[in-house]
């Protein structure tokens, strides 16, 4: 591209400059010849006027004009001192006198036929040299006579050639300097394109951090800015794809691990029943283990199907009290077996959502709370609305759980120095945001609690805070993934507030 641009630009400049030089030289030559023509016509007029006066004088004395022509022309010899200037006199169709040894060459009869008595003919001839010639007839009564005068153009043409050579020499020098300048200019002009090419090659090799330095506000700068924007978008999408691929791979690894444990147990007990002599009690215990692991595989399959089937929902106005009563009724038996009490407080009348999915959501959260809570503790369900700047309970939880200060009108500043501006509260406990005008459903327990690192991974499929305890309880680690999906379908967010040994509060924030 650079080479083609250089060649085309240089070629156009050479054609333009040479054409301009040629036009200038031709115009100059034409002006010089015009000036020479005026000069020759003036000299021809002077000579013809003088000869006409002499011819009139000879005629008045009664002399022979034709015979006296040589004597009269001696007075005008000064005009032929230049070797290129010649003149001659014709009478009829013959030359009766000429300066020098050579005759004009043309037949004077042809001049008579072409011009009138008062006209003069101007022409250029090349032989024996470049000459500008003028021929004119004398007025009556000497109309049969004519004067031919020529002036050499050698000096004029030589001066024009010198000027032309000088112009084309300057043209050559200017062309050479332009070529050097053009190479440097194109190098500067195409430098951003080279940088874009280099950055594109780096990105194509897998390094998505390459960016261009934007200078100025011209088209190249705009293109560089758009390239940086494109590179940033590509990097974001690649990171997202990589993160998605990592999550999928982790899901597959976890799923394979989860399958291996019950399958190994089933295979081991089945092999034991087949090869070893067992009592009826041992046979019963082995079959119980096999049935338990099969049920866990069945539950895992159902949960995966539920997770895959959650795509769209139909919402309605669901009474909160009815929702809590149904959930507590479903989980009451399991809670009583562990000696844990269930309670609920309704701070609002209804929630917009899908009743069955909300029951599943709260049931999974209560089930997790039951697994983490000791005997004799209590699990509570709470519902409240938060409109505009109403956040007393939220501020209290932030102060108690994370030691964060609230200052100004709704500005909350974390210990790490991160600030939230305006009236928006930014929380980073589980990466979720609280919003204005929302309904908050809470499931709070008095269990073992979690660390911040555990909270960051708790929503991942097959992740367990306590793997041994979860397996013993029959969990597959899919419950919170299903909960997260249900909350997303309700356009809300799910977050956890927890510290080791101080229990956990799961908050579901839904828009009003």
């Amino acid at each position: 591209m650079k080479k083609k641009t250089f060649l085309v630009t240089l070629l156009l400049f050479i054609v333009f400059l040479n054409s301009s030089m040629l036009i200038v030289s031709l115009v100059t030559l034409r002006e010089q010849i015009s000036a020479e023509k005026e000069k020759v016509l003036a000299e021809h007029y002077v000579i013809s006027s003088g000869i006409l006066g002499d011819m009139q004088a000879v005629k008045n004395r009664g002399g022979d004009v034709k015979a006296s022509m040589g004597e009269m022309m001696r007075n005008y010899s000064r005009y032929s001192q230049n070797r290129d200037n010649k003149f001659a006199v014709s009478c009829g169709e013959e030359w009766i006198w000429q300066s020098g040894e050579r005759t004009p060459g043309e037949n004077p009869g042809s001049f008579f036929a072409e011009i009138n008595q008062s006209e003069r003919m101007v022409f250029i001839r090349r032989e024996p040299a470049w000459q500008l010639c003028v021929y004119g007839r004398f007025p009556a009564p000497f109309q049969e006579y004519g004067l031919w005068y020529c002036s050499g153009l050698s000096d004029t043409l030589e001066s024009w050639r010198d000027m032309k050579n000088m112009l084309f020499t300057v043209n050559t020098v200017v062309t050479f300097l332009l070529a050097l300048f053009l190479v440097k200019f194109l190098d500067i002009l195409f430098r951003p394109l080279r940088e874009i090419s280099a950055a594109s090659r780096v990105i194509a090799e897998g390094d998505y951090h390459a960016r261009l330095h934007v200078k100025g506000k011209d088209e190249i700068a705009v293109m560089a800015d758009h390239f940086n924007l494109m590179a940033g978008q590509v990097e974001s999408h690649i990171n997202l794809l990589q993160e998605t691929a990592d999550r999928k791979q982790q899901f597959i690894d976890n799923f394979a691990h989860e399958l291996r444990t019950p399958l190994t147990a089933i295979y081991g007990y089945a092999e034991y029943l087949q090869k070893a002599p067992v009592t009826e009690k041992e046979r019963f215990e082995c079959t119980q283990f096999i049935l338990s692991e099969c049920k866990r595989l069945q539950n895992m399959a159902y949960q995966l199907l539920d997770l895959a089937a959650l795509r769209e929902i139909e919402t309605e106005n669901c009474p909160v009290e009815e929702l809590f009563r149904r959930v507590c009724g479903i989980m009451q038996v399991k809670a009583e077996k562990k000696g844990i009490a269930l309670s609920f407080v309704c701070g609002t009348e209804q929630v917009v959502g899908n009743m069955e999915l909300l029951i599943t959501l709260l049931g999974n959260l209560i089930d997790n709370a039951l697994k983490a809570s000791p005997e004799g503790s209590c699990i509570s369900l709470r519902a409240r609305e938060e409109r505009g700047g109403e956040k007393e309970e939220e501020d209290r939880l932030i102060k108690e759980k994370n030691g964060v200060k609230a200052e100004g009108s709704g500005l909350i500043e974390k210990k790490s120095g991160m600030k939230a501006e305006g009236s928006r509260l930014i929380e980073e406990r589980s990466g979720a945001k609280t919003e204005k005008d929302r309904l908050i459903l809470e499931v709070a327990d008095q269990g073992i609690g979690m660390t911040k690192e555990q909270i960051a991974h708790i929503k991942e499929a097959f992740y367990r805070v306590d793997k041994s305890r979860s397996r013993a309880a029959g969990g597959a680690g899919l419950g919170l993934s299903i909960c997260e999906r249900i909350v997303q379908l309700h356009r809300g967010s799910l977050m956890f507030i927890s510290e080791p040994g101080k229990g956990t509060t799961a908050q579901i924030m839904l828009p009003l």
Side-chain angles (χ1 to χ4, degrees):
M1 182 66 180
K2 176 183 175 182
K3 186 179 294 184
K4 291 181 179 179
T5 304
F6 171 78
L7 293 176
V8 171
T9 305
L10 186 62
L11 179 62
L12 290 175
F13 179 80
I14 290 174
V15 170
F16 173 78
L17 189 59
N18 282 273
S19 301
S20 301
M21 294 294 183
L22 181 61
I23 292 173
V24 169
S25 61
L26 291 177
V27 170
T28 303
L29 178 61
R30 183 176 179 180
E31 291 178 351
Q32 289 178 345
I33 291 178
S34 296
E36 192 67 24
K37 178 180 176 182
E38 295 296 329
K39 176 184 174 183
V40 171
L41 286 172
E43 292 178 351
H44 182 274
Y45 178 77
V46 171
I47 296 173
S48 61
S49 298
I51 293 175
L52 181 60
D54 293 339
M55 292 170 65
Q56 189 67 41
V58 171
K59 183 178 180 181
N60 291 336
R61 291 197 303 267
D64 188 354
V65 174
K66 187 175 182 180
S68 303
M69 187 59 64
E71 185 68 22
M72 288 186 294
M73 296 303 294
R74 289 191 187 94
N75 297 327
Y76 305 100
S77 60
R78 66 180 184 275
Y79 289 100
S80 61
Q81 289 178 355
N82 188 330
R83 60 185 180 86
D84 290 333
N85 291 356
K86 307 292 182 182
F87 54 93
V89 179
S90 66
C91 183
E93 296 185 1
E94 61 175 344
W95 298 104
I96 59 175
W97 185 90
Q98 67 273 346
S99 62
E101 299 179 353
R102 300 186 62 180
T103 62
E106 289 83 356
N107 186 356
S110 62
F111 297 147
F112 273 78
E114 293 182 16
I115 63 174
N116 297 325
Q117 184 175 343
S118 59
E119 293 179 347
R120 289 185 292 180
M121 178 186 295
V122 182
F123 58 93
I124 297 176
R125 69 176 187 174
R126 302 179 58 181
E127 297 296 337
W130 286 94
Q131 294 176 326
L132 183 60
C133 303
V134 180
Y135 182 83
R137 294 171 59 182
F138 290 99
F142 306 104
Q143 62 270 18
E144 70 274 13
Y145 292 92
L147 175 65
W148 178 84
Y149 178 75
C150 73
S151 177
L153 292 175
S154 300
D155 294 341
T156 302
L157 293 177
E158 188 67 25
S159 175
W160 176 77
R161 289 191 188 96
D162 292 341
M163 183 202 69
K164 181 188 68 174
N165 294 335
M166 181 189 68
L167 287 176
F168 281 96
T169 301
V170 172
N171 179 24
T172 303
V173 174
V174 171
T175 301
F176 177 75
L177 294 177
L178 174 72
L180 296 179
F181 170 78
L182 194 58
V183 169
K184 185 65 177 177
F185 176 73
L186 291 178
D187 183 68
I188 297 174
L189 185 64
F190 281 84
R191 184 179 302 163
L193 297 181
R194 291 197 304 271
E195 293 177 356
I196 291 175
S197 177
S200 301
R201 184 168 58 253
V202 170
I203 292 176
E205 293 173 354
D207 184 3
Y208 301 103
H209 300 289
R211 297 293 186 272
L212 298 175
H213 182 61
V214 180
K215 295 181 180 179
K217 297 182 180 179
D218 56 4
E219 292 80 359
I220 298 295
V222 172
M223 181 175 64
D225 188 52
H226 289 171
F227 179 88
N228 290 339
L229 179 61
M230 178 195 69
Q233 293 293 330
V234 170
E235 183 178 9
S236 299
H237 283 84
I238 291 297
N239 291 338
L240 180 61
L241 290 174
Q242 185 62 45
E243 183 180 349
T244 303
D246 292 341
R247 286 201 303 267
K248 288 182 178 179
Q249 185 62 43
Q250 184 180 12
F251 177 86
I252 293 172
D253 295 342
N254 292 335
F255 183 62
H257 177 76
E258 293 297 328
L259 285 178
R260 183 178 61 183
T261 302
L263 289 176
T264 301
I266 292 171
Y267 181 81
Y269 282 113
E271 187 178 30
Y272 177 74
L273 289 174
Q274 184 183 41
K275 295 182 179 180
V278 294
T279 64
E280 286 298 323
K281 182 179 179 181
E282 291 174 333
R283 185 185 301 276
F284 178 77
E285 291 176 353
C286 290
T287 54
Q288 282 296 105
F289 277 114
I290 292 175
L291 289 174
S292 174
E293 294 302 311
C294 287
K295 185 175 182 180
R296 190 150 73 91
L297 287 176
Q298 185 183 46
N299 291 335
M300 189 187 305
Y302 287 156
Q303 287 181 325
L304 286 174
L305 289 174
D306 290 340
L307 190 60
L310 292 176
R311 292 293 182 266
E312 296 181 359
I313 62 171
E314 294 182 0
T315 61
E316 59 182 348
N317 292 328
C318 304
V320 174
E321 185 174 357
E322 179 185 352
L323 172 64
F324 283 176
R325 289 187 183 280
R326 289 181 61 180
V327 173
C328 289
I330 294 172
M331 304 303 298
Q332 186 65 38
V333 175
K334 192 171 184 179
E336 289 178 353
K337 287 182 179 181
K338 291 200 65 175
I340 298 173
L342 298 179
S343 65
F344 61 86
V345 177
C346 298
T348 184
E349 295 182 359
Q350 62 183 17
V351 58
V352 177
N354 185 286
M355 176 66 81
E356 300 303 322
L357 290 181
L358 290 176
I359 292 174
T360 301
L361 169 62
L362 294 175
N364 282 336
L365 293 177
I366 294 175
D367 187 60
N368 285 341
L370 289 172
K371 295 172 184 176
S373 299
E375 184 178 354
S377 61
C378 177
I379 297 175
S380 61
L381 281 72
R382 297 189 292 264
R384 60 187 174 87
E385 292 183 6
E386 186 177 279
R387 297 180 181 272
E390 298 176 3
K391 55 182 184 309
E392 293 81 7
E393 182 66 18
E394 186 71 25
D395 289 345
R396 185 183 64 80
L397 288 173
I398 291 173
K399 292 176 182 178
E400 292 178 358
K401 301 295 183 180
N402 293 320
V404 180
K405 294 181 180 180
E407 59 176 286
S409 57
L411 179 63
I412 295 180
E413 194 174 18
K414 291 170 46 183
K415 284 185 176 179
S416 60
M418 183 175 186
K419 294 183 179 181
E421 297 179 358
S423 59
R424 180 186 300 174
L425 177 64
I426 298 179
E427 299 173 344
E428 200 177 319
R429 298 180 220 93
S430 63
K433 292 182 180 179
T434 62
E435 298 177 355
K436 295 181 178 180
D437 296 338
R438 62 191 179 180
L439 173 68
I440 299 178
L441 303 177
E442 294 181 340
V443 178
D445 63 53
Q446 299 169 350
I448 60 175
M450 294 179 290
T451 64
K452 290 183 179 180
E453 183 180 359
Q454 291 170 337
I455 292 175
H457 298 281
I458 195 172
K459 298 178 186 178
E460 297 175 2
F462 299 109
Y463 180 82
R464 294 189 183 90
V465 175
D466 186 345
K467 295 180 173 56
S468 61
R469 178 180 54 78
S470 297
R471 287 197 182 96
L478 291 170
L480 289 181
S481 296
I482 296 175
C483 291
E484 177 73 8
R485 183 58 182 158
I486 293 174
V487 172
Q488 290 176 354
L489 292 174
H490 284 80
R491 296 182 295 110
S493 59
L494 174 63
M495 60 181 295
F496 294 88
I497 304 171
S498 181
E499 285 186 14
K502 294 185 179 180
T504 301
T505 298
Q507 285 190 342
I508 305 163
M509 288 164 285
L510 304 176
L512 285 177

